[in-house]
Amino acid sequence: MKLCRALRDTGRNGSRKSMWEGAWAAAPRGIPACLGKHSCQAPRRPGESSWDREHRAMLGTVLLLLALAKPACPSPAGVASRRAEALKKLLEVFGMEDPPPPPAHFKKPPQYMVDLFNTVANADGVTKNPDILEGNTVRSFLDRTHSKEMQFLFVLSSVAKTEKILTAELHLFRLWPRVTDGPKRHHFCQVSVYQVLEKENPDTPGGKKLLAARLVSLQTSGWEVFAITPAVRDWTEDESSNQGLLVTVQSLGGSPLDPPPLQFASGRDHHESKRPLLVLFTDDGRRGASLPMGGFPDLKPQAPDLPARVPVPKPAGSRSTRSLDRLRPCQRHPLSVDFEEIGWSGWIISPRGYNAFHCKGSCPFPLGENMRPTNHATVQSIINALKLSEGVSSPCCVPDKLHSINLLYFDDDENVVLKQYDDMVAGSCGCH
């Protein structure tokens, strides 16, 4: 960069001497000293003056300095292009082509999804227990009917055709029961959930299909969950078959109750925290590498980690400092990923960022147990140390355990999704 400025300054004053001195002063260290002396002159061409010869030699030297100078002068367009390419690659890691747009208005995620995220992951999104989730994706959908009647419709256009539906649940908030007069007070009622087949005439034979039915207490309020997996599988295979759901309340004998003593909150007359919710547990088929998977990272790393949050990176140190880094033993170092700096904080609900960690250091002979070497790495280290075979390098410091992270975010349709991504955090490092 200094060399670029030096050459620009030369264009202003037009001085041959300042061009030489400025380019030489900005040249990177380690360039042979003769490049700055008149002894490094080009042979004279026939009919060439001494000034022309000196100018030609100086120009060749400047071109060499330009080739050796690091970094080159980056253009704003080049920086923007490189950033866009990097973000595109990062989106591919998260299984997306484009980042979802932030919600048009402030939107609070369903409390169930927030609680599920906190159960599955820690504050940084790292998975506590990989066996908690069924599959690697949980999608939530709010009812779109806003009807007083107990009919519900959920639009599932954001579910990919390749996504495997494992479990589908209908979450309904049970309101406090109405007070009934007279001696015949019910303590339980039967709640049935139907898949609507004929939207105009659901009560006709063949107009609906029973999905779930059970007794519900009339003494309390709270969430009720019904399994409706067959209906959702039908809807994802044929989107036009999605005619919604119908919920009925009957007495223990199966007769209708009018008015029904039990009601569920709707999206029209009740707070959005109580709106009907469809929750899908799915698997998109993505799998990580074959390294051992871990849940919550062990609290006994093989070497002390640096602070989890890393400030803005400082310029590279001296050559002796970099050499010292290579001599330090293999260990884990922080690698902070900040979604706000990337520009994704508008659609990612949680976490705000995470520590991916990275592995750095040497794997010197002999490899100790603290290096967590594989048998292959041990043999390779011996062959390298004894020079038994040409071209065999020493083992490398790499992750030997990887953890998954979880993202809670708004998708393109402003539905809230919890997705688990494998192999995102280096849990520990070893010589392999």
Side-chain angles (χ1 to χ4, degrees), residues 169-232:
E169 297 176 345
L170 174 64
H171 293 227
L172 298 176
F173 188 82
R174 184 177 71 253
L175 302 172
W176 283 102
R178 295 172 175 170
V179 177
T180 57
D181 298 327
K184 293 189 64 177
R185 184 174 180 179
H186 300 277
H187 296 281
F188 292 91
C189 64
Q190 178 173 297
V191 176
S192 302
V193 180
Y194 294 90
Q195 175 184 354
V196 176
L197 303 178
E198 297 289 342
K199 187 176 182 179
E200 303 301 328
N201 301 296
D203 293 327
T204 59
K208 60 181 183 292
K209 180 171 69 175
L210 181 64
L211 297 171
R214 71 162 180 270
L215 299 181
V216 175
S217 173
L218 294 175
Q219 307 302 313
T220 59
S221 68
W223 287 97
E224 293 288 340
V225 179
F226 301 89
I228 59 167
T229 308
V232 173

Side-chain angles (χ1 to χ4, degrees), residues 239-258:
E239 191 174 341
S240 64
S241 67
N242 184 1
Q243 303 296 316
L245 300 169
L246 173 67
V247 177
T248 63
V249 178
Q250 298 173 317
S251 68
L252 298 184
S255 57
L257 297 175
D258 190 23

Side-chain angles (χ1 to χ4, degrees), residues 151-180:
Q151 295 187 14
F152 310 101
L153 179 67
F154 303 93
V155 179
L156 310 181
S157 57
S158 59
V159 181
K161 293 291 185 181
T162 56
E163 216 164 317
K164 184 179 180 182
I165 307 297
L166 303 176
T167 303
E169 297 176 345
L170 174 64
H171 293 227
L172 298 176
F173 188 82
R174 184 177 71 253
L175 302 172
W176 283 102
R178 295 172 175 170
V179 177
T180 57

Side-chain angles (χ1 to χ4, degrees), residues 130-362:
D131 298 324
I132 293 179
L133 283 188
E134 184 182 7
N136 57 14
T137 307
V138 184
R139 297 183 179 273
S140 63
F141 303 86
L142 293 174
D143 172 46
R144 297 293 181 93
T145 60
H146 304 289
S147 172
K148 286 186 176 181
E149 304 296 330
M150 286 195 285
Q151 295 187 14
F152 310 101
L153 179 67
F154 303 93
V155 179
L156 310 181
S157 57
S158 59
V159 181
K161 293 291 185 181
T162 56
E163 216 164 317
K164 184 179 180 182
I165 307 297
L166 303 176
T167 303
E169 297 176 345
L170 174 64
H171 293 227
L172 298 176
F173 188 82
R174 184 177 71 253
L175 302 172
W176 283 102
R178 295 172 175 170
V179 177
T180 57
D181 298 327
K184 293 189 64 177
R185 184 174 180 179
H186 300 277
H187 296 281
F188 292 91
C189 64
Q190 178 173 297
V191 176
S192 302
V193 180
Y194 294 90
Q195 175 184 354
V196 176
L197 303 178
E198 297 289 342
K199 187 176 182 179
E200 303 301 328
N201 301 296
D203 293 327
T204 59
K208 60 181 183 292
K209 180 171 69 175
L210 181 64
L211 297 171
R214 71 162 180 270
L215 299 181
V216 175
S217 173
L218 294 175
Q219 307 302 313
T220 59
S221 68
W223 287 97
E224 293 288 340
V225 179
F226 301 89
I228 59 167
T229 308
V232 173
R233 286 177 177 165
D234 289 344
W235 298 341
T236 53
E237 290 176 5
D238 180 8
E239 191 174 341
S240 64
S241 67
N242 184 1
Q243 303 296 316
L245 300 169
L246 173 67
V247 177
T248 63
V249 178
Q250 298 173 317
S251 68
L252 298 184
S255 57
L257 297 175
D258 190 23
L262 174 67
Q263 281 193 323
F264 294 102
S266 66
R268 180 175 178 177
D269 298 325
H270 304 93
H271 191 269
E272 65 176 12
S273 63
K274 296 179 174 63
R275 286 179 63 180
L277 187 70
L278 174 62
V279 179
L280 305 187
F281 294 84
T282 71
D283 195 299
D284 60 10
R286 290 179 300 102
R287 286 295 174 267
S290 58
L291 288 181
M293 291 297 297
F296 191 81
D298 297 333
L299 298 180
K300 298 177 181 178
Q302 72 277 15
D305 292 329
L306 297 175
R309 288 293 169 193
V310 183
V312 177
K314 297 180 180 178
S318 64
R319 184 176 302 172
S320 59
T321 302
R322 293 194 297 269
S323 299
L324 184 60
D325 286 341
R326 285 194 292 268
L327 292 176
R328 288 174 179 167
C330 174
Q331 60 181 334
R332 193 173 71 155
H333 297 264
L335 177 60
S336 180
V337 179
D338 190 322
F339 293 131
E340 185 171 359
E341 288 184 4
I342 294 174
W344 291 358
S345 59
W347 56 275
I348 293 181
I349 302 167
S350 204
R352 309 313 294 175
Y354 75 100
N355 198 339
F357 292 100
H358 70 111
C359 299
K360 183 172 67 174
S362 63

